[in-house]
Amino acid sequence: MWTRRALLQFAAASSVRASPDPGIDFARTIHGRINEIRALNGAGELAWSERVAECAREQSVRKVELRFPGHTDPERGGVDERLTSAGIGWSRCGENLFMERGWDDPVNYALVCWWYSAGHKANLLNPDYTETGVGLSQGPDGAWFVTQIFVTPHILKYSGKRIR
């Protein structure tokens, strides 16, 4: 069982920014930490999907611009509709959102808040999800919006071969 202190220490262990866009580094850091947490809890590793990450980045940008509550974009709908509109096939999908203001690094706080929320934690540890993408955007007021999308890809059978 993780305590909040242990999870924050774990998450802070390797906070490093190297690129000019800290949102990209933060996204990859979240992805890596989530995979570490999944491994410690017996869930399989999530593959990074750049297409899913782009969908997540777009949602975080829209959260900065429109500041709407919850998971349903007033113009683009829920995560299922957004993935479908982006041409991303899926059989199961989920989404974790986080917003914070006042800290330079939103990674640790997103992880801790998601871990202590039953629904978010269920997404983090769901073994059915095999791919993920994370996107961040920072508003002019310093607020970070973090979107992580989880996907079980839709796999079609065609001529006895599996095609994605």
Side-chain angles (χ1 to χ4, degrees):
M1 181 59 133
W2 288 74
T3 65
R4 285 187 175 121
R5 178 183 299 262
L7 191 57
L8 276 171
Q9 288 171 338
F10 171 75
S14 63
S15 290
V16 177
R17 283 192 247 173
S19 77
D21 182 353
I24 292 171
D25 285 340
F26 290 152
R28 291 300 192 145
T29 301
I30 289 170
H31 174 245
R33 300 254 173 85
I34 294 301
N35 275 338
E36 291 171 6
I37 291 169
R38 286 172 65 93
L40 290 170
N41 288 276
E45 187 172 296
L46 293 167
W48 180 264
S49 168
E50 190 55 43
R51 292 180 67 212
V52 174
E54 180 58 32
C55 194
R57 277 190 292 276
E58 288 174 11
Q59 188 63 3
S60 289
V61 167
R62 290 186 57 80
K63 292 291 251 181
V64 165
E65 292 171 351
L66 302 176
R67 300 291 173 117
F68 56 89
H71 292 266
T72 304
D73 184 303
E75 296 166 355
R76 298 172 63 222
V79 65
D80 55 341
E81 295 166 290
R82 289 182 268 121
L83 288 168
T84 300
S85 291
I88 299 169
W90 56 274
S91 60
R92 293 188 73 171
C93 63
E95 178 179 62
N96 283 353
L97 300 175
F98 176 75
M99 190 279 288
E100 75 83 20
R101 180 178 36 235
W103 298 95
D104 291 335
D105 180 345
V107 172
N108 301 337
Y109 299 99
L111 292 171
V112 169
C113 288
W114 288 340
W115 184 257
Y116 284 97
S117 163
H120 293 102
K121 183 177 181 177
N123 280 340
L124 295 176
L125 298 178
N126 186 332
D128 293 334
Y129 294 138
T130 58
E131 294 181 7
T132 193
V134 181
L136 290 86
S137 185
Q138 188 174 32
D141 62 351
W144 281 102
F145 288 82
V146 182
T147 304
Q148 181 170 23
I149 298 174
F150 303 88
V151 174
T152 304
H154 180 70
I155 300 175
L156 299 173
K157 284 193 173 186
Y158 177 76
S159 300
K161 295 182 182 179
R162 296 182 114 186
I163 300 173
R164 276 194 183 177

